[in-house]
């Protein structure tokens, strides 16, 4: 979610709600950097870390005589090695268009409001569709996504995607005027997940096709709980049945073919007008407050009144598993993965066990790892969920380039009855406080995680943050963000120690001379992240609309949000796509043949300081992508990218 703007909730991401004195990542890096020195080339920076072992790709030619320093690889130069990137970089742009490299095409697919079944209600460009109609249409603000191929080669499959939040100005005909139950329900139905069958036709390209799998999961869909916080647990005993998932940011997919959707800034939907209500310590830790502007759902729907129905908020902040191949299945909140503001959940496996990485996206929060307690195949053979049996850890980054995973287990370390912890369910319901207690390392807004398909290195975007001062890298403040990576001990993702390094720093050398990026790759606020099978790293950006294209924020040369590709071996980064005004680029996924790539264009046309603020009378003030209809409005959408010659993307 981006920062505060007219039609959507005040985004708490930028503001810390972590009162603990846990050490911030900047302090750790600052010390390492000053102690051991850093050599930066081609937009990359590396302090001594796992690269020092010379095992990581990119190290072989990198040290360049700087003995004693482990150094990241070169920039644009291949240095005798053919890199992974073969396209011509796209230039930064502030235009209201979507641009891809020469030789590529971009096709708009399933914009907000598209009926998910044949004969379903058509989208109305004046935003007059009802709540009941919205429940049969693609939701708003597409975010995390995964493509599950169902055919050989992948030209047919299920596309499953999140809908993170709504912009009241664009969702409703009357914009943010007085809230009603009908408007709350329309918003609830615009959140959640869409499951749609899609196919590629050689002549017409990709299209949505009717299928029994096509389904909407939204804020009113019946849900259940599993893991240590079970159905009937008193802390989730709110009024009414368990239903709904909200603020579905990034996502993930499991080795057994299910999708997970992650609940991020769920706190923003709760509020109260009850005089004198104040949040308790735990509610405050998660950012709950009396105001829920601009949504104000609690004014029409008592479900979201935090004073009258406080346990409802405990039903959110989870990782939710959905089986897209069983359209009748009930989504399950998998509580063993903790309750935070989950950005996403990225799965890998090691020694037969499932491993899931998940960032808690708020300034000064942590990154977590769930490790299965047994082989996931064995658990499933016993009809147990691999996501209900395992251990949740939180990361501590040490000064010397090593790191540790600290268990969040009742009875372990300080998480004892003597210290006021009741049981494992209590630890998970209060995951943030548990992580504070064990001494996790604060991070600059941890967003997506991607695991390298070959060497299993783990990459994490830290989108931006206040930082803790200092002129060297990482910055204080850190308006441009960076990407950190680590290698688990012996390359085993279940290991409890790791060595870490910084892969790339965002920014613009015109404002920060330490940034080694140029016209082909200046970027800021990295967010979405994904690896293709060849090991190309795809980086999506989410510069907030209060900074986008503004010189006062050092963002005027970077242009609109974008998608870049990186070669982890050479360190080269190259801009691949630039989005329209007001939008972030997110939801990266790719067909197995790597010839069709899907990304989401989220919140085009949202209020953007550089361009203006939409109104019900003029919803097109910032953008009119993708249709440019003089009487229409901007629509979040998926975009499918292909090479005109049908070749592998990025080469
Ligand atoms: Fe929903 Fe952290 O982006
Ligand atoms: Ca966002
Ligand atoms: Ca994000
Ligand atoms: Ca973001």
């Amino acid at each position: 979610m981006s920062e505060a703007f007219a039609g959507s909730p005040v985004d708490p991401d930028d503001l810390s709600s972590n009162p603990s004195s846990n050490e911030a990542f900047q302090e750790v890096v600052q010390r390492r950097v000053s102690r051991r020195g850093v050599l930066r080339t081609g937009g990359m920076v590396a302090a001594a870390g796992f690269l020092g072992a010379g095992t990581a790709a990119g190290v072989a030619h990198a040290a360049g005589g700087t003995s004693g320093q482990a150094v990241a690889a070169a920039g644009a130069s291949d240095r005798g090695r053919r890199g992974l990137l073969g396209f011509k970089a796209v230039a930064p742009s502030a235009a209201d268009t979507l641009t891809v490299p020469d030789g590529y095409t971009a096709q708009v697919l399933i914009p907000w409001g598209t009926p998910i079944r044949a004969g379903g209600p058509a989208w109305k460009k004046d935003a007059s569709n009802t709540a009941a109609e919205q429940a049969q249409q693609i939701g708003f603000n597409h975010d995390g996504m995964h493509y599950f191929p169902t055919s050989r080669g992948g030209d047919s499959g299920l596309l499953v995607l999140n809908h993170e939040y709504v912009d009241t100005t664009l969702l409703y005909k009357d914009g943010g005027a007085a809230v009603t139950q009908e408007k709350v329900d329309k918003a609830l139905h615009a959140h959640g997940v869409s499951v749609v069958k899609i196919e590629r036709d050689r002549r017409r390209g990709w299209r949505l096709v009717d299928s029994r799998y096509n389904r909407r999961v939204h804020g009113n869909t019946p849900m259940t709980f599993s893991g240590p916080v079970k159905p009937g647990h008193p802390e989730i005993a709110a009024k009414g049945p368990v239903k709904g998932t909200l603020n579905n940011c990034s996502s993930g997919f499991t080795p057994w073919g299910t999708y997970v959707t992650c609940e991020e800034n769920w706190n923003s939907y709760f509020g109260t007008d009850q005089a004198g209500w104040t949040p308790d310590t735990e509610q405050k830790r998660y950012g709950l407050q009396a105001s829920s502007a601009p949504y104000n759902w609690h004014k029409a729907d008592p479900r979201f009144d935090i004073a009258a129905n406080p346990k409802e908020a405990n039903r959110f902040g989870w990782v939710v598993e959905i089986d897209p191949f069983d359209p009748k299945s009930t989504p399950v909140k998998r509580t063993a993965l903790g309750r935070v503001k989950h950005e996403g959940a990225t799965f890998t496996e090691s020694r037969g066990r499932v491993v899931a990485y998940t960032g808690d996206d708020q300034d000064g929060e942590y990154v977590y790892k769930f490790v299965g307690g047994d082989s996931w195949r064995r658990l499933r053979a016993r009809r147990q969920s691999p996501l209900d049996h395992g251990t949740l850890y939180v990361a501590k980054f040490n000064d010397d380039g090593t790191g540790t995973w600290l268990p969040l287990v009742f009875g372990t370390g300080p998480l004892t009855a003597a210290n006021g912890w009741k049981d494992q369910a209590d630890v998970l319901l209060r995951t943030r406080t548990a992580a504070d207690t064990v001494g996790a390392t604060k991070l600059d807004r941890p967003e997506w995680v991607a695991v390298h398909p070959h060497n299993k290195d783990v990459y994490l975007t830290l989108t931006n943050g206040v930082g803790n001062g200092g002129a060297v890298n990482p910055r204080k403040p850190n308006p441009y963000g960076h990407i950190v990576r680590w290698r688990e001990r012996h390359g085993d993702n279940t290991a409890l120690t790791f060595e870490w390094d910084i892969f790339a720093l965002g920014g613009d050398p015109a404002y920060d001379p330490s940034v080694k990026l140029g016209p082909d790759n200046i970027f800021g606020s990295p967010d979405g992240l994904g690896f293709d099978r060849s090991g190309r790293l795809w980086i999506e950006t989410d510069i907030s609309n209060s900074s986008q294209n503004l010189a006062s924020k050092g963002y005027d040369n970077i242009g609109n949000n974008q998608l870049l590709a990186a070669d982890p071996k050479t360190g080269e980064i190259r801009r691949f796509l630039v989005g329209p005004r007001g939008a972030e680029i997110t939801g990266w996924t790719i067909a197995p043949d790597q010839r069709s790539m899907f990304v989401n264009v989220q919140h085009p046309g949202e209020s953007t300081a550089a361009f203006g603020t939409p109104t019900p009378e003029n919803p097109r003030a910032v953008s009119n992508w993708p249709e440019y209809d003089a009487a229409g409005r901007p629509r979040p959408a998926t975009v499918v990218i292909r090479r005109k010659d049908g070749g592998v993307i990025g080469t």
Side-chain angles (χ1 to χ4, degrees):
M1 189 183 287
S2 60
E3 280 183 16
F5 56 93
S8 73
V10 171
D11 187 344
D13 290 352
D14 283 359
L15 309 171
S16 175
S17 69
N18 184 346
S20 79
S21 57
N22 289 5
E23 191 167 44
F25 189 48
Q26 276 72 14
E27 291 171 343
V28 174
V29 173
Q30 205 76 23
R31 277 202 302 284
R32 288 188 54 207
V33 167
S34 55
R35 184 164 50 84
R36 307 191 67 164
V38 165
L39 188 148
R40 275 173 271 115
T41 48
M44 300 184 59
V45 57
F50 69 82
L51 292 173
T55 51
V59 144
H61 53 254
T66 54
S67 144
Q69 294 176 347
V71 180
S77 163
D78 286 340
R79 296 199 184 168
R81 176 188 168 276
R82 190 169 174 272
L84 288 170
L85 311 183
F87 60 91
K88 186 170 179 291
V90 166
S93 167
D96 189 30
T97 53
L98 185 134
T99 312
V100 290
D102 292 343
Y104 284 80
T105 60
Q107 180 199 345
V108 174
L109 191 68
I110 57 167
W112 159 54
T114 304
I116 62 165
R117 285 189 200 84
W123 179 70
K124 293 180 178 164
K125 62 185 174 186
D126 65 355
S128 63
N129 284 114
T130 64
E133 288 169 341
Q134 178 64 75
Q136 304 168 67
Q137 298 171 328
I138 295 288
F140 202 84
N141 271 351
H142 307 28
D143 205 330
M145 175 166 64
H146 187 65
Y147 179 61
F148 294 88
T150 53
S151 69
R152 198 188 263 275
D155 274 356
S156 166
L158 300 186
L159 193 65
V160 188
L161 63 150
N162 286 352
H163 303 290
E164 188 182 23
Y165 66 100
V166 297
D167 184 322
T168 55
T169 307
L170 299 175
L171 183 74
Y172 306 120
K173 193 172 180 177
D174 65 352
V179 66
T180 61
Q181 185 68 56
E182 162 72 12
K183 288 175 80 173
V184 174
D185 283 333
K186 183 174 183 183
L188 286 166
H189 296 167
H191 283 76
V193 171
S194 293
V195 180
V196 287
K197 178 105 186 275
I198 57 169
E199 278 178 6
R200 190 174 80 89
D201 175 297
R202 277 170 187 266
R203 225 164 18 88
R204 290 176 294 178
W206 285 90
R207 64 196 175 99
L208 184 158
V209 292
D210 210 356
S211 101
R212 71 184 193 89
Y213 300 111
N214 292 13
R215 176 185 190 188
R216 283 298 321 283
V217 169
H218 52 62
N220 280 327
T221 302
M223 306 260 155
T224 189
F225 272 78
S226 194
V229 184
K230 294 182 168 52
H233 190 285
E235 285 301 315
I236 55 168
K239 290 171 190 159
V242 171
K243 60 179 185 178
T245 183
L246 289 170
N247 214 268
N248 306 84
C249 190
S250 183
S251 57
F253 57 98
T254 66
W256 50 95
T258 59
Y259 181 82
V260 297
T261 184
C262 299
E263 298 176 334
E264 194 193 14
N265 294 307
W266 47 270
N267 57 307
S268 56
Y269 302 100
F270 294 90
T272 188
D273 293 336
Q274 197 175 105
W277 180 88
T278 52
D280 65 25
T281 307
E282 292 300 331
Q283 288 172 326
K284 205 167 174 178
R285 186 70 185 80
Y286 284 99
L288 288 156
Q289 56 184 13
S291 168
S292 70
Y295 289 152
N296 294 316
W297 290 354
H298 69 271
K299 293 179 188 294
D301 187 344
R303 178 182 169 197
F304 297 98
D305 189 317
I306 188 67
N309 192 27
K311 306 290 190 209
E312 181 71 15
N314 293 340
R315 293 174 170 179
F316 295 90
W318 304 104
V319 172
V320 187
E321 187 179 20
I322 297 169
D323 183 353
F325 294 96
D326 180 358
K328 297 222 170 352
S329 59
T330 302
V332 186
K333 302 212 171 185
R334 296 292 180 193
T335 61
L337 278 73
R339 176 168 173 260
V340 296
K341 296 183 185 176
H342 285 285
E343 174 73 19
T346 301
F347 288 80
T348 186
E349 57 182 297
S350 184
R351 299 188 298 116
R353 295 172 191 230
V354 72
V355 175
Y357 295 96
T358 180
D360 181 358
D361 178 12
Q362 190 169 343
D363 204 0
E365 293 302 332
Y366 311 126
V367 66
Y368 297 82
K369 168 167 98 167
F370 173 83
V371 178
D374 196 353
S375 141
W376 65 262
R377 287 187 177 82
R378 204 173 301 143
L379 286 162
R380 281 177 59 82
R382 285 190 222 125
R383 300 198 162 276
Q384 294 178 316
S385 169
L387 301 184
D388 288 346
H389 302 272
T391 304
L392 186 66
Y393 300 89
V394 66
K396 180 172 169 59
F397 292 82
N398 298 319
D399 292 10
D400 60 358
T402 66
T404 316
W405 291 104
L406 306 168
L408 299 178
V409 175
F410 174 70
T412 299
L415 304 174
T416 58
N419 287 334
W421 296 91
K422 292 192 200 108
D423 52 20
Q424 186 60 20
D426 186 30
V427 169
L428 295 164
L429 281 156
R430 300 192 282 144
T431 302
R432 281 185 163 184
T433 304
D436 296 341
T437 305
V438 301
T441 303
K442 291 181 180 179
L443 300 166
D444 274 2
R445 296 188 56 196
E447 299 241 32
W448 289 39
V449 173
V451 179
H452 192 288
H454 308 148
N455 64 18
K456 300 304 217 63
D457 288 350
V458 186
Y459 289 65
L460 165 70
T461 46
L462 298 177
T463 197
N464 55 49
V466 292
N468 288 311
V472 292
N473 298 298
R475 294 148 295 201
K476 306 177 184 184
N478 181 17
Y480 298 115
H482 53 287
I483 300 172
V484 65
R485 64 177 166 186
W486 59 88
R487 173 166 294 183
E488 306 277 14
R489 188 161 190 264
H490 301 314
D492 171 5
N493 294 82
T494 69
L496 299 186
T497 57
F498 59 92
E499 293 189 305
W500 64 270
D501 214 315
I502 292 179
F503 172 66
L505 283 175
D508 177 354
Y511 291 96
D512 180 352
S514 73
V515 172
K516 304 299 180 192
L517 297 170
D520 286 353
N521 56 13
I522 48 172
F523 72 93
S525 301
D527 186 341
L529 207 56
F531 275 107
D532 65 27
R533 288 181 170 195
S534 305
R536 238 173 254 104
L537 180 64
W538 295 88
I539 304 163
E540 295 164 316
T541 71
D542 179 17
I543 306 160
S544 86
N545 288 333
S546 59
S547 298
Q548 206 180 108
N549 289 297
L550 291 184
S552 60
K553 302 292 176 84
Y555 265 105
D556 52 328
N557 299 321
I558 292 178
N560 297 343
N561 277 305
Q562 50 195 263
L563 168 70
L564 306 102
D567 181 340
K569 287 194 176 179
T570 63
E572 185 182 5
I573 300 175
R574 210 178 279 186
R575 189 179 304 102
F576 183 86
L577 173 153
V578 178
R581 290 180 170 179
E584 73 171 274
I585 305 300
T586 184
W588 182 90
T589 185
I590 196 163
D593 63 6
Q594 300 192 91
R595 292 164 202 273
S596 295
M597 186 168 81
F598 306 86
V599 298
N600 283 326
V601 175
Q602 187 187 115
H603 56 78
E606 187 175 275
S607 178
T608 304
F611 302 119
T613 298
T615 61
E617 297 71 38
N618 181 19
R620 300 165 295 278
V622 173
S623 171
N624 201 9
W625 186 89
E627 284 145 359
Y628 305 107
D629 179 337
R633 61 186 57 223
R635 298 170 80 180
T638 301
V639 170
V640 195
I641 294 143
R642 288 182 54 86
R643 255 168 67 162
K644 287 178 184 163
D645 65 2
V648 171
I649 292 169
T651 58

